[in-house]
Amino acid sequence: MGEGDGADSAPKKPQSDAVTAGATTSSGDVPAKKLARQLDFTGFGATTSGSVALPEPPKPQLQTVTVPQSQPKPQVVGVPVPVPPQPPVPSVRPVKPDSPKSRPRPNVDGKDGTPKKQKQCNCKHSRCLKLYCECFASGIYCDGCNCVNCCNNVENEGARRDAVEATLERNPNAFRPKIASSPHGPRDSREEAGELVVLAKHNKGCHCKKSGCLKKYCECFQANILCSENCKCIDCKNFEGSEERQALFHGDHSNNMAYLQQAANAAITGAIGSSGYISSPPVSKKRKGQELFFGQTGKDPSAHRIGQFPQANHLRPPAPSSSSVPVARLGTAGLGPSKFTYRSLLADIIQPQDLKELCSVLVVVAEEAAKTLADRKNAAEKQAEYQTEASLATTTEDRLQSQKESDTQKAVTDDCSTANQADKISPEDSNSDGVDGPKGRPMSPGTLALMCDEQDTMFMSAASPNRLMGDGCNTSSQLPNGQGMSEVYAEQERIVLAKFRGCLNMLITRGELKEAECSSLARSEAAAQREQVGNGTPNPRTETGSQQGPISNGVAKTAVPPTARTSQIVTAAVLSPSTVLPKPPSVPENGGNKPKA
DNA sequence: GAGTTTGAAACT
DNA sequence: CAGTTTCAAACTC
């Protein structure tokens, strides 16, 4: 590798020139795609081809600095728009946010924690016009870098443009984020340090051979994501359940880079558990990939760490993501690298039936509120009218009644939109058919919406296509004059929301508790594990499930209770927000979602 | 800080 | 498309 390079001189560097030159050449006919191609990284993973994304020249105003979320990790949808010598954008880089490459060092640089400026490349031969250059790859101009002969700047816009085109020609997605993020993507550096980021996936996948995908050489690892079926790495250890990986992340050492690195090295060389690593010394060195074919399962202790197969092999387990993956790690085959999902701490706490129950409770509350208020109001009106004309009083009442009814319908209509918030509980759309509430009873839109949800939940399975457009939200009904009830609705909503809030608070509390439990458990387990390793104790992992870490998806398996309890919680919460949390039962649990071996 | 290793990008 | 070379970052000493 580094040999002939002579990294120094510029003997051969046809390429750099090629870039420009080539570009020129190609540009000869570039008419079509002028440089004006816009980068539309927006779609993030989704849109892959379509418009070619091309780092547009520095249009100052153009930079799409994405969402200044406070999160350190730019979730961007960046745009390789060459941002002119840009002042380091605080936390969000305009581009290729996820490019593993660009990410890590840039700003945060854990080293001293000092927020660092963007990032500075050190290119010498590429003139910063190739993807080798992080700046270029990120779509930004070099600014304050240590590069030599840099052309990635305003002064050389022309060359740069050509280079961009050339690059795009080779790979239209060159400037797109490499990591397909997900809603659960990385969120903050802390999580990054730990492990959590799991859902994201490298679009192209890595091709690591020696790093075990546990070093920053690996784009996946660098991006803090697990290797996926897109990867073609060999001897991958960056998958869920990987002890090596866990060793890297867990433990109080999470913050200690040195420790992490050490752990990584150990893992790579086989020092850390894992199958038969021990047997074959540094097997590595030689292993040219082929050696590791899994022959496996076998018992051949001498078999070289088969632990991991080339990704290609673990091409995913048919098994759905993670969940019950029993981790017999040997079979990564069955496990697949990654593909597991992050589970919310509340995952086990909230059950479908709980939602149902919650909805029911809220509906009841709403009904009662409505009834009370309505009665009150009616009474008042009646009284007023009574004095004037007794006979009319009755009519009024009827009228009111019918009014309510019509309002009810209307409610369903206009509220669905607003009431969507209520959906939060159940992501599904609200309503199912026939939802309209009990006739004759005044119900606020919110209530109706709740009921819709309830039904949804209850009859989810029976869902019919109609549902989506179903009457529920549909604008089919009209509202004559809903005036009368508006106050009632308001009051009703207020009450319901208050109750609901109480419930949410309860859940939050629960979540926090669980989190605490999980983390402490994870910590202790990690410590124990470490200790074991340190003692030279036989590898825990040697076999099958035993190794199952206490953690799965970041959720430790504890004696948490989930299930059933929730109902009580929910109900209690709704009924009396101030209620104390029921004590978590010590139910067996499936919390970690990983079966215990 | 120099030298080595690594894997992506570029090239053939 | 596979193999090789080039490159710059990551890593080690």
Side-chain angles (χ1 to χ4, degrees), chain A residues 137-180:
Chain A
S138 298
I140 61 177
Y141 284 137
C142 284
D143 176 28
C145 300
N146 307 309
C147 41
V148 177
N149 210 355
C150 180
C151 288
N152 182 28
N153 49 40
V154 207
E155 296 82 58
N156 296 283
E157 186 49 38
R160 182 177 176 287
R161 244 186 268 170
D162 289 342
V164 168
E165 282 191 9
T167 302
L168 285 172
E169 225 153 83
R170 267 193 300 269
N171 172 17
N173 298 314
F175 297 96
R176 289 216 153 103
K178 294 179 179 172
I179 310 298

Side-chain angles (χ1 to χ4, degrees), chain A residues 461-473:
Chain A
S461 51
S464 71
N466 302 340
R467 248 175 83 229
L468 293 184
M469 314 254 256
D471 348 345
C473 274

Side-chain angles (χ1 to χ4, degrees), chain A residues 217-277:
Chain A
Y217 294 126
C218 173
E219 294 198 345
C220 297
F221 180 82
Q222 194 171 61
N224 223 321
I225 59 177
L226 296 172
C227 285
S228 67
E229 69 271 12
N230 293 338
C231 300
K232 295 193 177 79
C233 42
I234 294 174
D235 214 15
C236 178
K237 295 184 177 63
N238 184 28
F239 58 91
E240 178 188 21
S242 159
E243 285 193 359
E244 295 85 349
R245 181 170 178 277
Q246 286 186 5
L248 273 178
F249 291 118
H250 295 309
D252 317 312
H253 304 282
S254 313
N255 307 316
N256 184 331
M257 262 330 256
Y259 177 84
L260 290 182
Q261 228 22 86
Q262 223 177 310
N265 290 335
I268 293 170
T269 55
I272 288 190
S274 198
S275 351
Y277 287 31

Side-chain angles (χ1 to χ4, degrees), chain A residues 113-351:
Chain A
T114 325
K116 247 184 157 181
K117 151 180 204 155
Q118 282 192 309
K119 98 165 87 230
Q120 308 173 316
C121 67
N122 301 289
C123 309
K124 288 176 188 154
H125 308 303
S126 65
R127 297 207 290 165
C128 297
L129 291 181
K130 300 234 171 186
L131 292 175
Y132 294 128
C133 174
E134 289 189 19
C135 300
F136 180 79
S138 298
I140 61 177
Y141 284 137
C142 284
D143 176 28
C145 300
N146 307 309
C147 41
V148 177
N149 210 355
C150 180
C151 288
N152 182 28
N153 49 40
V154 207
E155 296 82 58
N156 296 283
E157 186 49 38
R160 182 177 176 287
R161 244 186 268 170
D162 289 342
V164 168
E165 282 191 9
T167 302
L168 285 172
E169 225 153 83
R170 267 193 300 269
N171 172 17
N173 298 314
F175 297 96
R176 289 216 153 103
K178 294 179 179 172
I179 310 298
S181 85
S182 77
H184 292 287
R187 314 215 142 111
D188 70 44
S189 28
R190 258 178 335 162
E191 284 184 343
E192 256 176 68
E195 73 172 318
L196 257 187
V197 184
V198 236
L199 290 180
K201 170 157 121 175
H202 195 291
N203 291 324
K204 279 178 58 182
C206 66
H207 299 80
C208 309
K209 292 176 187 161
K210 305 179 174 180
S211 65
C213 297
L214 289 181
K215 297 214 169 192
K216 282 185 156 187
Y217 294 126
C218 173
E219 294 198 345
C220 297
F221 180 82
Q222 194 171 61
N224 223 321
I225 59 177
L226 296 172
C227 285
S228 67
E229 69 271 12
N230 293 338
C231 300
K232 295 193 177 79
C233 42
I234 294 174
D235 214 15
C236 178
K237 295 184 177 63
N238 184 28
F239 58 91
E240 178 188 21
S242 159
E243 285 193 359
E244 295 85 349
R245 181 170 178 277
Q246 286 186 5
L248 273 178
F249 291 118
H250 295 309
D252 317 312
H253 304 282
S254 313
N255 307 316
N256 184 331
M257 262 330 256
Y259 177 84
L260 290 182
Q261 228 22 86
Q262 223 177 310
N265 290 335
I268 293 170
T269 55
I272 288 190
S274 198
S275 351
Y277 287 31
I278 324 133
S279 56
S280 32
V283 181
S284 21
K285 266 335 181 183
K286 241 329 180 320
R287 122 174 110 309
K288 257 325 200 160
Q290 8 302 36
E291 289 184 50
L292 13 132
F293 251 116
F294 36 83
Q296 196 10 206
T297 318
K299 13 230 72 253
D300 185 34
S302 57
H304 295 246
R305 36 164 92 217
I306 304 168
Q308 275 71 30
F309 316 107
Q311 292 286 323
N313 298 326
H314 35 218
L315 264 187
R316 124 228 35 275
S321 41
S322 54
S323 346
S324 38
V325 190
V327 177
R329 170 5 149 31
L330 246 167
T332 324
L335 221 192
S338 69
K339 262 205 154 139
F340 55 110
T341 43
Y342 162 77
R343 291 187 83 217
S344 160
L345 285 174
L346 295 177
D348 296 315
I349 294 180
I350 302 178
Q351 303 291 325

Side-chain angles (χ1 to χ4, degrees), chain A residues 373-385:
Chain A
L373 293 171
D375 287 349
R376 202 188 304 161
K377 185 168 182 175
N378 286 344
E381 286 181 11
K382 248 191 226 169
Q383 212 169 17
E385 286 183 25

